[in-house]
Amino acid sequence: MTLLGSSPPRPDGASKVDGTLRYANDLPMDGAWHGATLRSPYPHARIRALQWHPERAPAGAVCVTAADLPGPNGVQLLDDEWPVLAAELVQHVGEPVAVVAAPSKLAARQALRAIEVDYEPLEPTLDLSTAGRQEPLYSLELKSGEAEEELARAHLLVEGTYRTGHQEHIYIECQVMSAGWEADGSLVVEGSMQCPYFVHRSLIHVFGLTAERVVVKATPMGGGFGGKEDFPSVIALHAALLAKACGHPVRIAYDRHEDIIGTTKRHPSVVTHRAAVDAEGHLQAMEIDVVLDGGAFRTLSPVVLSRAVLHAAGPYRCPNVHIRGKVVRTNTAPNGAFRGFGAPQVQFAMERQMDRIARRLGLDPLEIRLRNVLEEGDRLPTGQTMDESCSARLCLEKAARETDFKQRWRHLEAQRRDIADGDSMPGVGLSLYFHGAGFTGNGERVLQSVIEAALLEDGRIEVRTAAVEMGQGCDTVLPMMAAEASGLELEDVVLAPPDTSRVPDSGPSVASRTSMVVGGEVAHVVSEIRDRVLAWWSDRQESGAAHTVEDGLVRGEKGQSWPFREVARSYAEAMGPLVVSRQHEPPEWQVFDEETYQGVAYPTYAFGADVVEVEVDPDTLEVSPKKVTAVCEVGRVLHEKLCVGQVEGGTLQAVAWGLMEEVKLEEGRYLNDRLATYIIPTIKDSPEMEVHLLEKPWKGGAFGAKGVGELPMDGGAPAAVSAVENATGIEVDAIPATPERFLALTSARRQVPSEPEDPERARGADR
Amino acid sequence: MKALAPRTLDEALLQLTQTPDLRPLAGCTDLMVSEPEDRRDWSGVLDLRGISELRGIEWRGETLEIGAVTAFSEIRDSPEVRQSFPALAEAASRIGGWQIQNRASLGGNMANASPAGDSLPVLLVLDAQVVLVGPEGKRSVPYRDFHLGYRQTALGPGEIIGWVQLPKPPVGATQFFRKVGTREAQAISKVVVALLASVSDGQISDYRLAAGSVAETPVRLTEVEESIVGRALKPEVADLAGHLAAQAVRPIDDVRSTAEYRRFALAQVVRRMTLQLVR
């Protein structure tokens, strides 16, 4: 069977294109009221008094504040530090202070004006450097070898500080959540979310209900990118509180403005590198300081930092590494999960640092990477030894070969001075990156994900997982994996909706884990149902056993065949319900020590290399990315078209993060809280994409798949910026690399040296 | 809110006289995305798009007349405009994206009176005349006297924009247009520049320069023009023009760009356009 790797149409495709699919805000909700949110206008303030004046509000409107909570005022994620509603303090502009509900959207907005809040403004912490002097929200350290000693006696010491900015998810569908209470006191919540069981847990935490009295249903999603991992719990709590207060179901639908100011974003970062390099450019030691801006609350920052620290040294071999990471608190909206989850920030820094080392030695970007690339048998700073699925060199060489990188880079580097006045400046840049597959450390073990399959009366098999289709294609791929493993036809497998009353907790749809972890288990449980049905059928046949299933047909040894679905239907009729469930167990050898940060942080890694070609306008310094060649090694390509789509979309999101996307804040207030001013690429800004998918299967399961959702987010930005450097000679160590930033750098005459410096002279004195 | 859709100009003017707080609109691409608070003073909208007298592109002697509700896609594709006013055709093709160009109108761009309106610097260098129609009849004002301030125009009570008249440009004049936006399409300008220039006997004989997004309104840079006209056509003149242009404007830092970058980009673009005259 060759289903895997082919590209069957996605079941949700047509309805998304023709507009018939109903998203959360399209679903009818009888008698529903509308919720609205009162938000803090201050980045930091004390709430002296809060007064609700129902007489000034539309009739019947209700208001809920922190004082009205039936349980703890905390959104349960890793901990519950994030307030559901601000109590005594507000800690960022846009923080929810109170929520109201009224029969119409307009009335709900009017009701907001019936709340009077007396704030005492406090000094906000807005700057990362100020924040860095305070107690961090979380910190980590990872050490292997003797980095400090090696740095002290370095042949060449190269230092750099690299900065990345916020990024807003801009999923097409803004956050929406509806909640209603049943007559029996149970709570039903439905909306746009990646992780139904995260929402489930946070509702139980605040309302003190038993698990079965809370039902959470994920609706078809218009994108998530991580932005619907953490925040849906907040808005679900608000809707449930309001529904309880007014006695009607309540829907809260954010508009884009609210969604931008109120919800989580990618963590800004400052990463400082010090590297000791020998005369040939081999990394001897690295000291890396990672600082992430967590925003006002801890949320998921500890695990984002963990992934950041574990990816900070990049896919390179280095015997002595010391990485320190911390998340600091600022008075801005909390930052949270976003495709890549800390890895893009640190790999931007690492890739820029590699380019800087190359320049100091007179090497090109390819050569420095080839000399340090991680290979089978090498160890990561965690002590983990790379197995045969390590493909960093494969990706790097493929990308270089496909683009004739070395020659083109050298040519453009040499001709830079000869470009005629007025001609656009071409440049080419390279990045090499990796992404740990699945949850970090012991995460998968802690999750105890359960996957279930059930034989339906009509002979089809229902797969029950909490995996949510957010555009990534899991509704297409999970049945493919089931069919591939079991010999059934795609049509023999159906997916149960991600509804906590119908599916077990198979974990969140995050961390590129759905195919790799959930998909692997789906293949098992469906195969087990097939086996049971087959065994029962064989027993009833005169010829006895030795039946197989292929292309949806049960085949006997004498060449007879029966449609599996018919056979399974007879089983269901004769034997009654059949449900199989299985708990995911990570490989035994995946053991990670959270104290020392040593061990196996990820069972396997996906790798990639990008070559970005740009043209820079000689007059305006505008950068046009012309072409990206992305080579991604993903273990096993499950659905080719979707896989290419993930790489293209992620790469574009990464290039845009590097070149144009910028959250602009002034005194903690958002200046660009709309799509006219928060600039994301249109199709006219999108480069041509050439995607090469490579396969070095992971032996641990799921047909070898390593996950692809986040990987392409890691490489686009550093490669694009590297190309700009090749084109202009301007060294850029902060993104977004906008024309305004280039201008500031050009005025400061910070051009990179064209001739390699004498390493002896430069020793210990870089910048 | 009431929505009226008159079929004739007389009907529209009557409705506007009867209900002065009606908001006239054409493509609605700016108004549709305006803040609800900004719409509070309207009792309704007056959709001018159905008035055929206000649509179309036609030569009247030495003047090309463009109806106010004519969409930018019509202007972009018009052989008359492309032939005689290539800078306007170029501006029309760079406004928003195709969807916006299909709806947005030249008159709307003028009435909206944004400092960043992409077609407006072109109207300035083309010495456009605007014909306004109101209860008192028609009157004609130079476009440079129409756009008075930030979102302020010379439109009187009950008046609407009827037509834009473009005098045939001098024979041999070259036109330039450049938009520097936040991205390739669906972008609001950081800087927008238009230039019309003629060269005779090795000298710059005509030099009309205008820029948008560098002051409260799009501006004709007359000081620059006066310094450049009459000079011998040499590359140094381009440097001078760029330098003077940057000095002549008062850009601001805002959500789209910085004052520093706007000055820089304006200088560079003006220099480039002028250099292209040399070659």
Side-chain angles (χ1 to χ4, degrees):
Chain A
M1 189 143 183
T2 53
L3 191 54
L4 290 188
S6 69
S7 299
R10 51 189 303 162
D12 52 336
S15 64
K16 281 179 175 168
V17 172
D18 68 18
T20 51
L21 185 70
R22 293 213 264 187
Y23 294 92
N25 204 22
D26 306 324
L27 295 168
M29 207 177 171
D30 286 342
W33 282 26
H34 295 264
T37 310
L38 184 74
R39 299 176 181 280
S40 167
Y42 295 101
H44 195 197
R46 186 175 311 285
I47 300 176
R48 283 206 205 97
L50 190 157
Q51 194 65 43
W52 162 242
H53 299 281
E55 71 284 0
R56 296 189 210 158
V62 295
C63 173
V64 172
T65 69
D68 306 316
L69 289 168
N73 185 8
V75 181
Q76 181 64 39
L77 289 161
L78 300 165
D79 57 34
D80 73 345
E81 187 231 13
W82 192 1
V84 180
L85 290 164
E88 283 123 42
L89 287 177
V90 288
Q91 310 231 48
H92 67 89
V93 171
E95 183 178 354
V97 173
V99 284
V100 295
S104 75
K105 219 168 187 173
L106 186 66
R109 283 199 186 148
Q110 286 166 343
L112 290 177
R113 290 185 222 131
I115 308 171
E116 236 178 290
V117 188
D118 180 14
Y119 293 101
E120 176 193 342
L122 302 171
E123 191 60 38
T125 304
L126 298 168
D127 184 35
L128 259 188
S129 54
T130 322
R133 290 195 286 275
Q134 297 164 7
E135 182 68 15
L137 285 166
Y138 194 71
S139 59
L140 281 176
E141 197 162 358
L142 164 57
K143 211 173 164 190
S144 74
E146 304 296 340
E148 278 74 13
E149 288 82 340
E150 285 300 319
L151 284 161
R153 54 168 178 268
H155 171 77
L156 172 65
L157 184 71
V158 181
E159 295 178 276
T161 298
Y162 308 96
R163 291 162 208 275
T164 65
H166 280 107
Q167 187 176 26
E168 168 57 39
H169 302 87
I170 312 286
Y171 24 68
I172 299 176
E173 179 202 27
C174 293
Q175 304 260 357
V176 188
M177 203 66 69
S178 306
W181 293 82
E182 304 288 308
D184 67 354
S186 59
L187 170 62
V188 180
V189 166
E190 72 175 1
S192 188
M193 66 185 86
Q194 288 174 231
C195 316
Y197 275 95
F198 279 12
V199 174
H200 192 247
R201 207 166 306 141
S202 64
L203 292 166
I204 289 170
H205 184 68
V206 169
F207 289 100
L209 296 165
T210 54
E212 37 329 322
R213 292 184 98 72
V214 178
V215 176
V216 178
K217 303 174 182 180
T219 52
M221 282 174 74
F225 307 116
K228 292 173 184 170
E229 173 172 353
D230 37 26
F231 201 84
S233 295
V234 178
I235 183 170
L237 282 162
H238 292 169
L241 288 163
L242 287 171
K244 185 133 208 162
C246 72
H248 301 273
V250 169
R251 174 171 293 167
I252 302 178
Y254 283 2
D255 62 19
R256 184 64 67 182
H257 160 80
E258 267 190 304
D259 202 294
I260 290 181
I261 67 165
T263 72
T264 58
K265 289 163 192 59
R266 184 185 301 287
H267 292 71
S269 73
V270 179
V271 182
T272 305
H273 274 258
R274 297 177 75 221
V277 186
D278 71 11
E280 284 75 49
H282 298 116
L283 290 167
Q284 302 294 318
M286 289 196 284
E287 200 177 42
I288 308 171
D289 275 292
V290 179
V291 181
L292 299 181
D293 178 350
F297 304 109
R298 198 177 296 120
T299 65
L300 296 169
S301 289
V303 272
V304 174
L305 182 68
S306 172
R307 190 174 278 274
V309 162
L310 290 163
H311 288 76
Y316 300 106
R317 179 174 53 238
C318 182
N320 304 289
V321 177
H322 188 177
I323 305 167
R324 282 179 294 257
K326 63 179 176 180
V327 185
V328 299
R329 190 197 294 270
T330 60
N331 291 109
T332 58
N335 295 311
F338 195 146
R339 193 178 206 168
F341 213 68
Q345 290 96 317
V346 293
Q347 294 195 86
F348 171 77
M350 185 66 211
E351 288 306 280
R352 296 307 296 135
Q353 170 78 355
M354 290 303 274
D355 282 355
R356 177 169 290 180
I357 293 169
R359 282 197 181 275
R360 294 290 301 278
L361 292 164
L363 300 174
D364 62 69
L366 175 63
E367 192 55 40
I368 192 71
R369 287 170 175 79
L370 285 171
R371 292 186 190 182
N372 290 285
V373 65
L374 196 65
E375 305 204 56
E376 183 180 351
D378 287 336
R379 282 166 178 262
L380 293 173
T382 50
Q384 180 177 3
T385 304
M386 300 312 291
D387 65 15
E388 74 287 346
S389 77
C390 176
S391 58
R393 176 178 287 276
L394 191 69
C395 292
L396 186 58
E397 289 180 343
K398 172 87 174 164
R401 204 165 51 240
E402 291 293 334
T403 57
D404 195 14
F405 179 81
K406 190 184 273 264
Q407 218 176 336
R408 294 192 53 212
W409 185 88
R410 288 198 168 276
H411 171 70
L412 294 175
E413 195 74 10
Q415 72 148 42
R416 195 158 62 220
R417 285 205 203 109
D418 307 331
I419 289 183
D421 179 24
D423 285 355
S424 72
M425 299 180 278
V428 59
L430 174 72
S431 67
L432 177 66
Y433 50 93
F434 73 151
H435 205 88
F439 256 49
T440 300
N442 303 317
E444 289 294 348
R445 191 161 283 120
V446 174
L447 273 179
Q448 301 189 315
S449 303
V450 175
I451 286 84
E452 204 170 274
L455 183 61
L456 301 178
E457 281 178 13
D458 65 5
R460 292 181 301 166
I461 297 176
E462 182 179 78
V463 169
R464 298 169 179 171
T465 80
V468 180
E469 174 62 73
M470 62 186 111
Q472 87 280 39
C474 69
D475 283 3
T476 310
V477 171
L478 293 178
M480 286 173 76
M481 295 176 82
E484 178 87 16
S486 60
L488 301 184
E489 292 284 335
L490 268 181
E491 297 73 33
D492 297 331
V493 182
V494 291
L495 290 174
D499 166 341
T500 58
S501 67
R502 297 187 53 182
V503 299
D505 184 359
S506 63
S509 306
V510 302
S512 314
R513 67 184 284 279
T514 299
S515 295
M516 177 195 153
V517 173
V518 179
E521 299 301 341
V522 164
H524 277 294
V525 289
V526 171
S527 297
E528 191 171 333
I529 289 194
R530 172 207 58 191
D531 290 346
R532 298 234 204 138
V533 170
L534 210 52
W536 172 82
W537 179 252
S538 299
D539 284 348
R540 291 166 35 116
Q541 302 302 306
E542 285 167 16
S543 56
H547 287 80
T548 58
V549 180
E550 240 177 63
D551 303 331
L553 297 173
V554 177
R555 294 186 194 278
E557 53 188 5
K558 291 176 192 150
Q560 334 84 302
S561 70
W562 306 267
F564 176 83
R565 204 187 292 188
E566 294 303 314
V567 173
R569 198 168 62 180
S570 338
Y571 175 101
E573 226 172 75
M575 307 290 289
L578 171 59
V579 178
V580 169
S581 80
R582 199 178 134 100
Q583 185 180 317
H584 175 68
E585 280 296 335
E588 292 154 22
W589 46 267
Q590 190 190 338
V591 179
F592 188 67
D593 186 332
E594 308 272 357
E595 292 301 311
T596 62
Y597 256 60
Q598 294 292 304
V600 179
Y602 303 97
T604 185
Y605 297 80
F607 293 84
D610 288 352
V611 172
V612 176
E613 297 162 51
V614 302
E615 275 181 16
V616 181
D617 186 292
D619 292 323
T620 61
L621 304 175
E622 293 166 286
V623 178
S624 310
K626 292 291 169 192
K627 185 175 179 185
V628 183
T629 304
V631 178
C632 288
E633 190 281 302
V634 298
R636 177 79 188 268
V637 177
L638 301 172
H639 184 295
E640 192 187 7
K641 223 172 237 180
L642 287 175
C643 196
V644 169
Q646 284 283 359
V647 174
E648 289 181 346
T651 301
L652 181 60
Q653 207 162 25
V655 169
W657 176 55
L659 297 179
M660 61 162 57
E661 291 191 37
E662 185 170 21
V663 172
K664 299 181 184 182
L665 287 158
E666 195 177 76
E667 293 299 306
R669 289 173 184 81
Y670 293 91
L671 299 179
N672 54 340
D673 57 349
R674 56 186 65 198
L675 289 176
T677 47
Y678 183 81
I679 302 299
I680 60 168
T682 70
I683 192 67
K684 290 195 81 175
D685 303 282
S686 307
E688 179 193 344
M689 301 251 186
E690 185 179 311
V691 176
H692 299 271
L693 299 174
L694 303 180
E695 296 179 317
K696 279 258 225 171
W698 172 51
K699 61 181 182 298
F703 304 96
K706 295 171 169 180
V708 67
E710 292 167 289
L711 176 72
M713 189 71 221
D714 294 338
V721 170
S722 183
V724 171
E725 185 173 306
N726 182 229
T728 61
I730 302 173
E731 192 176 11
V732 180
D733 43 25
I735 52 171
T738 57
E740 285 79 4
R741 179 164 268 150
F742 291 138
L743 178 62
L745 293 173
T746 323
S747 325
R749 295 265 174 270
R750 258 191 73 224
Q751 305 253 325
V752 292
S754 298
E755 296 297 324
E757 290 176 33
D758 175 3
E760 284 306 311
R761 196 157 50 81
R763 180 170 167 169
D766 188 42
R767 297 208 301 138
Chain B
M1 192 183 274
K2 101 182 123 175
L4 301 174
R7 311 300 296 182
T8 67
L9 192 51
D10 290 341
E11 204 183 327
L13 291 170
L14 184 65
Q15 284 162 339
L16 202 54
T17 310
Q18 287 166 347
T19 321
D21 54 2
L22 278 179
R23 173 73 194 213
L25 61 82
C28 211
T29 54
D30 281 306
L31 299 181
M32 193 82 85
V33 293
S34 62
E35 296 290 341
E37 300 83 72
D38 295 340
R39 299 177 215 152
R40 219 172 274 156
D41 301 336
W42 316 343
S43 68
V45 296
L46 186 68
D47 182 356
L48 306 176
R49 277 179 313 157
I51 303 173
S52 55
E53 299 149 86
L54 295 185
R55 181 180 291 274
I57 300 169
E58 204 181 335
W59 281 109
R60 293 190 185 276
E62 294 294 285
T63 302
L64 188 73
E65 194 169 89
I66 302 178
V69 305
T70 309
F72 281 112
S73 54
E74 296 169 70
I75 295 171
R76 178 193 72 202
D77 297 338
S78 152
E80 290 81 9
V81 176
R82 293 164 74 102
Q83 171 74 36
S84 302
F85 306 97
L88 183 61
E90 176 67 15
S93 76
R94 295 280 290 143
I95 287 172
W98 283 0
Q99 298 91 329
I100 298 286
Q101 288 160 22
N102 283 337
R103 286 197 65 94
S105 66
L106 183 58
N109 208 212
M110 291 159 60
N112 193 49
S114 155
D118 288 326
S119 70
L120 309 182
V122 182
L123 299 182
L124 283 174
V125 300
L126 293 177
D127 287 334
Q129 287 281 321
V130 189
V131 180
L132 307 178
V133 274
E136 314 291 314
K138 290 184 187 175
R139 66 184 175 115
S140 176
V141 294
Y143 175 69
R144 61 196 306 174
D145 298 331
F146 173 81
H147 194 157
L148 300 174
Y150 180 76
R151 299 201 178 273
Q152 276 189 317
T153 69
L155 277 170
E159 268 187 330
I160 56 173
I161 303 169
W163 301 269
V164 175
Q165 295 173 333
L166 304 175
K168 194 170 229 173
V171 176
T174 314
Q175 297 174 30
F176 299 93
F177 174 83
R178 174 80 192 259
K179 170 177 178 169
V180 182
T182 48
R183 62 185 156 203
E184 285 293 314
Q186 307 294 16
I188 299 174
S189 291
K190 294 176 178 177
V191 175
V192 54
V193 186
L195 173 69
L196 183 150
S198 305
V199 177
S200 58
D201 300 331
Q203 281 198 334
I204 299 175
S205 55
D206 193 0
Y207 193 85
R208 304 186 216 162
L209 179 65
S213 280
V214 292
E216 298 81 31
T217 65
V219 283
R220 256 304 267 275
L221 302 176
T222 44
E223 311 94 291
V224 185
E225 297 176 356
E226 284 159 15
S227 303
I228 298 301
V229 168
R231 286 182 188 263
L233 188 59
K234 284 195 279 192
E236 298 78 62
V237 176
D239 294 342
L240 179 67
H243 175 75
L244 292 174
Q247 295 208 315
V249 295
R250 289 170 290 119
I252 55 164
D253 287 341
D254 69 6
V255 68
R256 277 182 287 284
S257 189
T258 61
E260 185 198 12
Y261 178 77
R262 288 183 155 113
R263 246 181 244 283
F264 164 80
L266 173 65
Q268 294 284 96
V269 168
V270 168
R271 173 178 174 271
R272 180 68 52 208
M273 289 173 171
T274 312
L275 270 181
Q276 281 167 2
L277 288 171
V278 179
R279 281 169 191 164

